[in-house]
Amino acid sequence: MKDESDPGIHATLIPLAAETAGMEIVVGRWPVVLGRECADVVQVADPWVSRRHCRIGRVNSTLWIEDLGSRHGTFVNGALVREAVLLPGDKLTIGTSRFRVDYLGAGRRPHDERLERLNDERAQRVHYARLENLGFERT
């Protein structure tokens, strides 16, 4: 997919864990790489996140995400993805860090808190089951 260098869209990745509340990641330059590495990467302080975990870019008013060969995968709404469109309200999981994607763009969906809560619980169960299948234990 082709990135547009014009920033145009500002997105916010809102952490879903209580211990990281208020630590939003605001993105306005595209594409952006998320990971643990320092140089040219938006840092996510999570030992389960790869140095260069995933890239988020945009095409017109829609965001997309691409896994960069991370060890533990990139999940959108509980599904393991190599590349996917990110719509407003989607849940992004990298390592053990979970975010809600927020931006004004194409495909904006109406907010349904009850459905969102059900999707969160299902996504969390699926994610932890996958980590356990890889031999990692929940603490």
Side-chain angles (χ1 to χ4, degrees):
M1 291 185 188
K2 179 180 168 262
D3 283 328
E4 294 189 11
S5 57
D6 171 29
I9 296 175
H10 285 77
T12 305
L13 302 178
I14 302 165
L16 296 176
E19 59 272 8
T20 55
M23 298 175 64
E24 290 92 9
I25 297 172
V26 178
V27 182
R29 304 286 274 155
W30 309 104
V32 64
V33 174
L34 301 179
R36 287 190 343 258
E37 202 171 78
C38 294
D40 78 341
V41 172
V42 173
Q43 286 188 286
V44 178
D46 178 341
W48 298 100
V49 171
S50 297
R51 288 179 301 207
R52 296 178 58 82
H53 198 99
C54 60
R55 176 181 11 250
I56 300 175
R58 76 177 185 95
V59 175
N60 298 322
S61 60
T62 302
L63 298 185
W64 56 269
I65 189 160
E66 174 188 13
D67 185 83
L68 298 175
S70 66
R71 183 172 186 164
H72 301 295
T74 298
F75 297 81
V76 176
N77 297 324
L80 179 64
V81 300
R82 287 179 149 265
E83 191 172 284
V85 170
L86 280 178
L87 295 175
D90 280 349
K91 303 300 183 289
L92 170 64
T93 304
I94 59 173
T96 59
S97 299
R98 297 181 67 235
F99 302 93
R100 179 172 50 84
V101 179
D102 189 28
Y103 72 98
L104 289 175
R108 181 106 182 158
R109 294 183 287 222
H111 182 72
D112 182 338
E113 191 171 314
R114 186 180 47 129
L115 181 59
E116 186 174 295
R117 189 171 49 253
L118 289 172
N119 285 338
D120 281 351
E121 292 168 3
R122 183 181 60 98
Q124 188 172 16
R125 283 194 310 270
V126 168
H127 181 67
Y128 281 117
R130 286 185 175 137
L131 286 177
E132 287 170 355
N133 285 340
L134 292 171
F136 300 102
E137 293 182 20
R138 273 183 17 184
T139 56

